[in-house]
Amino acid sequence: ETGVTQTPRHLVMGMTNKKSLKCEQHLGHNAMYWYKQSAKKPLELMFVYNFKEQTENNSVPSRFSPECPNSSHLFLHLHTLQPEDSALYLCASSQKTSGNYNEQFFGPGTRLTVL
Amino acid sequence: DQQVKQNSPSLSVQEGRISILNCDYTNSMFDYFLWYKKYPAEGPTFLISISSIKDKNEDGRFTVFLNKSAKHLSLHIVPSQPGDSAVYFCAASPTSGSRLTFGEGTQLTVNP
């Protein structure tokens, strides 16, 4: 596997279900991100992890719970979601260096539908 | 309040001609700008970037222009090819930050 992979690619869940999205990066990066893309809206940053530590939570509801066990893996645990949470969830990674910004590399996304 | 705006949701261009995609921003703290391309069922892929110390960056058929006084940047693709048909996102960041702020995207269609 190369780049950034995400599983599953598609997920349909009920509002009472618990599910998890998985992201893995094979690029040796030290920062990982979760984004949400709703229809006709810009990508919205949800969470940022640097060296496994969460450095940003963009006021995301607690029904979304991220987990970063190591710098290559990122999870998004979902529980009691609402239909308006249906969206494309994108994972990204980058190599964060002091004072410099490097471009983020994205996975293909998980298309989530909440019934 | 949307800090990065792409006012054209779609653009249609003839093959071989120039495609010009525009982006405006409001946050004066932004000083690093990127363009991403997205095909259906794939994640965005990085295309080209520019730092605010420059006003132009070129990579093959792709050139990004930055007008800091107008808080405007544009992506020029010349010559356009049918394979360039995709959604193009503009993004901006403070240099030392991790946060990328994206525009809504512009769907480019290049007709053969």
Side-chain angles (χ1 to χ4, degrees), chain A residues 2-20:
Chain A
T2 58
V4 181
T5 57
Q6 289 186 245
T7 54
R9 295 293 308 275
H10 299 271
L11 178 62
V12 179
M13 60 187 288
M15 288 191 285
T16 57
N17 291 157
K18 286 186 181 182
K19 296 286 185 185
S20 295

Side-chain angles (χ1 to χ4, degrees), chain B residues 28-76:
Chain B
S28 56
M29 297 299 292
F30 290 150
D31 57 6
Y32 190 78
F33 304 90
L34 307 90
W35 284 95
Y36 281 82
K37 178 169 76 171
K38 185 180 185 302
Y39 293 117
E42 295 183 13
T45 54
F46 170 74
L47 197 55
I48 192 168
S49 64
I50 189 167
S51 164
S52 61
I53 61 173
K54 294 186 173 182
D55 54 20
K56 176 183 173 181
N57 189 24
E58 193 172 348
D59 183 4
R61 296 184 298 114
F62 303 91
T63 304
V64 56
F65 295 92
L66 176 62
N67 182 334
K68 290 185 287 294
S69 60
K71 293 193 175 67
H72 177 84
L73 64 154
S74 60
L75 175 68
H76 292 211

Side-chain angles (χ1 to χ4, degrees), chain A residues 11-99:
Chain A
L11 178 62
V12 179
M13 60 187 288
M15 288 191 285
T16 57
N17 291 157
K18 286 186 181 182
K19 296 286 185 185
S20 295
L21 309 185
K22 178 183 174 182
C23 175
E24 184 173 359
Q25 59 96 0
H26 310 267
L27 300 167
H29 290 163
N30 56 21
M32 296 188 77
Y33 312 79
W34 278 117
Y35 286 87
K36 174 184 177 183
Q37 187 180 24
S38 304
K40 306 211 185 296
K41 285 189 177 181
L43 276 74
E44 299 172 55
L45 180 66
M46 299 175 73
F47 301 103
V48 181
Y49 278 82
N50 285 317
F51 295 101
K52 304 188 299 176
E53 299 298 320
Q54 186 181 122
T55 56
E56 193 152 352
N57 176 336
N58 194 22
S59 303
V60 181
S62 60
R63 57 186 185 270
F64 295 91
S65 174
E67 179 191 358
C68 189
N70 56 61
S71 56
S72 298
H73 293 86
L74 186 64
F75 295 90
L76 189 62
H77 304 298
L78 316 170
H79 62 100
T80 59
L81 294 193
Q82 305 297 312
E84 58 265 28
D85 296 322
S86 299
L88 180 68
Y89 289 84
L90 289 157
C91 173
S93 71
S94 72
Q95 185 62 24
K96 181 89 167 62
T97 55
S98 174

Side-chain angles (χ1 to χ4, degrees), chain A residues 9 42 56 58 96 101 104 106-107, chain B residues 36 41 43 95 97-100:
Chain A
R9 295 293 308 275
E56 193 152 352
N58 194 22
K96 181 89 167 62
Y101 183 90
Q104 295 177 18
F106 285 82
Chain B
Y36 281 82
T95 302
S98 305
R99 171 182 283 269
L100 273 181

Side-chain angles (χ1 to χ4, degrees), chain B residues 83-101:
Chain B
D84 296 329
S85 298
V87 178
Y88 288 78
F89 292 98
C90 164
S93 172
T95 302
S96 59
S98 305
R99 171 182 283 269
L100 273 181
T101 302

